[in-house]
Amino acid sequence: MPDRSARQRIAAPLARRQGGVVSRAQLEALGITRSEIKVELAAGRWHARGRHAVAVHEVTRDGLFAAALMEVRGDVRLDGVSALIYRGLTGWDEDLIHVSVRHGTHAPPVAGTSIHRVRDLEPCAIGVGLATSHPTYAAIRAAVWARSDRAAMTILAIAVQQEVVAADALLERWRRWKRRIPRRALIDQVIRDVCAGAQSLGELDFARLCRERGLPEPDRQVVTKGPKGRIFLDVRWSTLGVVVEIDGAHHASGLMPVDDALRQNQVVLGGDVVLRIPVLGLRLEPDGFMNQVAQALTTAAERLAS
């Protein structure tokens, strides 16, 4: 029978790979008996994280994910926003841990864990570490399970921006997604916005919002001259000197912010007013942004009249 220090030494490597948590079955497979596990728990050196999970070290976020999988057991994997966070998504906090099991599977409730029963559960994503759904499935399900439309849109946008999920793979997965799901229309809009054709789609939506408000419809894809050649503007009211730039998700990546700033500054120096609207802003806060557009047009018209 290994002594206390030997038990810790045996369990430590696996615990480090799993965020400080090891299942009782794993400990027994390592040669640590049930009675020895009880000794460590009774001494307060190890701590039970449920019926099956044991904290051997300080538990990290990944350890919480691992413990949830150990408690649900069987063919289970991290899914939704939990899978995205495990794969590197930052800037998002979620109290619940989301896991998926096959539809019809009996799984006992686990504190702090939302268990989703999924039809046609796909194989786990290939890789080292905890079992997770493929990022494309996880991103779509994260949007479905989100607390609000705003949360659904934000998760999809940052997952693509941070390259946790590849834009082309997500768009292709969504095109082949046949099942009826909540928020389908919204998810369709957002995925197309952040993955493909975001700029042109945003311009069409913007023109529709202008018509609905009774605002004059602007020219689209206007070309003007700058010191280094042609400048392409999304929409412009030329007679009023008002420009609106519709920014898709790609405007936040690479050197795009630098190029955008140079172009905007040049247009402003030429005398135009420039408003910027993230394409997702047309989904989240259409009234707020369109109020600003209306105000800019009114101010410009009054300036011309005077």
Side-chain angles (χ1 to χ4, degrees), residues 206 234 244-248 275-282 285-286 289-290 292-293:
F206 182 76
D234 292 338
V244 174
E245 289 287 83
I246 312 295
D247 294 340
L275 300 180
R276 306 200 74 91
I277 303 178
V279 70
L280 291 182
L282 296 179
E285 297 288 349
F289 282 111
M290 295 309 295
Q292 292 177 342
V293 172

Side-chain angles (χ1 to χ4, degrees), residues 86-108:
Y86 179 69
R87 288 181 166 273
L89 187 76
T90 60
W92 187 264
D93 293 321
E94 184 81 14
D95 294 332
L96 282 175
I97 296 173
H98 296 270
V99 302
S100 284
V101 297
R102 194 174 303 280
H103 186 77
T105 299
H106 172 72

Side-chain angles (χ1 to χ4, degrees), residues 135-188:
T136 55
Y137 286 96
I140 294 170
R141 289 177 182 144
V144 174
W145 300 336
R147 297 184 300 270
S148 64
D149 288 352
R150 177 185 288 270
M153 296 165 69
T154 303
I155 291 169
L156 285 172
I158 62 177
V160 172
Q161 290 167 359
Q162 296 177 15
E163 299 182 347
V164 177
V165 57
D168 56 348
L170 177 59
L171 186 60
E172 179 60 26
R173 175 67 61 196
W174 177 245
R175 286 171 175 165
R176 293 187 280 121
W177 195 282
K178 303 300 182 183
R179 292 195 175 277
R180 296 178 62 183
I181 55 175
R183 297 193 177 109
R184 186 176 185 98
L186 175 71
I187 293 172
D188 181 72

Side-chain angles (χ1 to χ4, degrees), residues 194-229:
V194 300
C195 293
Q199 186 169 341
S200 60
L201 180 62
E203 292 160 16
L204 293 173
D205 287 345
F206 182 76
R208 173 181 56 78
L209 291 170
C210 287
R211 289 192 298 271
E212 290 176 355
R213 281 179 163 257
L215 300 176
E217 190 165 336
D219 297 323
R220 296 203 297 268
Q221 286 299 307
V222 177
V223 180
T224 186
K225 291 182 179 180
K228 295 185 178 181

